Amino acid sequence: MAMKVKEVSELVSISVRTLHHYDEIGLLVPDEITAAGYRMYSNANLERLQQILFFKELGFSLKEIKNIIDDPAFDAEEALHMHKLILLEKRQRLDQIIATIDKTVLHLRGEIQMTAKEQFQGFNFSDNPYEQEARQRWGDRTIDEANRKTVHQPADKQKELSEQMNDIFRRLATLRHTAPESAEAQAEMKKWYLYLNQIGSYSPEAFKVLGQMYVEDERFTRNIDQFGEGLAQFMCNAMAVYADQHQ
């Protein structure tokens, strides 16, 4: 049974304006628009909305979510399984924190004594391993898509893109000993961001994650540092600054 936008808004507890925005950017387009102009959402629309909200919970941007869900290789069941693992991990941590609160109350009343270790039971600021795996799983698709687009370009266009990339790297190499937040470095970061979006689809957040890969993956580091030792780390830092300024 189709639902009007107001009904979906009340069901999901998100604003009508948000649903309109999702429609405008092609993230969630209702299956039917009535003659009177009412948006009507089908069961398939609601299933897609559920996936959108799951991915938002993981911190993906709307642009990234659209790319993930629209990918022909996207497996909804696989995604749900990953979401469940992430939430179970979070629930376990929250249960531990709640138990620590209860013990602390008793400790303050003098009814029990807590060790220093017990006082911080449940506090863990390391990444959720399942969430990290999920971001790597779907983040890789952005990179894979960029690679596919590059490979399918005509030979002369591939050569042009390769020369553009090398020129950007060479300019960045001359700046690698300056502050990543400097105007010169950020001007080159803008060029690098625009270049990447010629061959892929990178949100500021994905751009930042890519920069982290430059130092976490030795293959990236080795190739980039051919232009100048320390360039990969400099780019990682400068890309993070650019992303944070353009969220």
Side-chain angles (χ1 to χ4, degrees), residues 3-35:
M3 300 179 68
K4 294 180 180 179
V5 65
K6 189 173 186 301
E7 293 174 317
V8 176
S9 171
E10 292 173 351
L11 174 69
V12 185
S13 297
I14 59 177
S15 69
V16 170
R17 184 175 181 178
T18 296
L19 290 169
H20 285 177
H21 178 61
Y22 288 177
D23 184 7
E24 290 164 2
I25 64 176
L27 178 61
L28 182 67
V29 179
D31 280 348
E32 180 188 353
I33 304 291
T34 69

Side-chain angles (χ1 to χ4, degrees), residues 24-192:
E24 290 164 2
I25 64 176
L27 178 61
L28 182 67
V29 179
D31 280 348
E32 180 188 353
I33 304 291
T34 69
Y38 291 111
R39 292 171 168 87
M40 303 299 293
Y41 292 82
S42 66
N43 288 335
N45 290 147
L46 295 180
E47 290 174 2
R48 182 179 174 95
L49 177 57
Q50 185 193 55
Q51 284 289 355
I52 291 168
L53 297 180
F54 280 140
F55 278 109
K56 275 179 62 65
E57 184 69 23
L58 295 184
F60 283 86
S61 69
L62 297 181
K63 187 174 182 179
E64 289 173 314
I65 295 170
K66 185 177 186 303
N67 290 338
I68 291 168
I69 297 178
D70 287 344
D71 190 324
F74 176 68
D75 186 326
E77 186 173 342
E78 175 202 16
L80 289 170
H81 178 66
M82 186 64 70
H83 293 317
K84 180 179 179 180
L85 290 175
I86 293 166
L87 292 172
L88 287 172
E89 178 77 15
K90 287 184 177 180
R91 184 174 71 180
Q92 181 181 12
R93 184 171 63 85
L94 289 174
D95 285 344
Q96 289 179 335
I97 293 175
I98 291 170
T100 298
I101 290 173
D102 291 339
K103 288 183 180 178
T104 303
V105 170
L106 296 176
H107 173 75
L108 292 175
R109 291 174 178 172
E111 297 179 23
I112 65 170
Q113 290 294 318
M114 295 180 71
T115 65
K117 183 177 181 180
E118 288 173 332
Q119 289 176 348
F120 297 96
Q121 190 77 32
F123 291 104
N124 182 358
F125 297 101
S126 61
D127 291 333
N128 183 325
Y130 299 116
E131 187 164 347
Q132 193 173 30
E133 181 181 344
R135 295 199 65 81
Q136 182 178 356
R137 169 75 176 88
W138 288 298
D140 285 346
R141 286 188 178 171
T142 303
I143 297 168
D144 292 342
E145 178 64 19
N147 290 337
R148 283 197 297 271
K149 287 185 178 181
T150 303
V151 168
H152 289 101
Q153 294 281 2
D156 58 339
K157 183 63 175 178
Q158 288 189 40
K159 182 179 179 181
E160 179 186 342
L161 289 171
S162 178
E163 289 174 352
Q164 286 181 25
M165 180 183 71
N166 289 338
D167 286 344
I168 293 172
F169 278 173
R170 280 192 285 266
R171 289 195 298 270
L172 284 167
T174 66
L175 298 172
R176 69 187 190 277
H177 298 303
T178 64
E181 64 274 14
S182 69
E184 296 86 353
Q186 288 305 301
E188 290 304 319
M189 280 300 101
K190 180 177 180 179
K191 293 176 183 177
W192 183 230

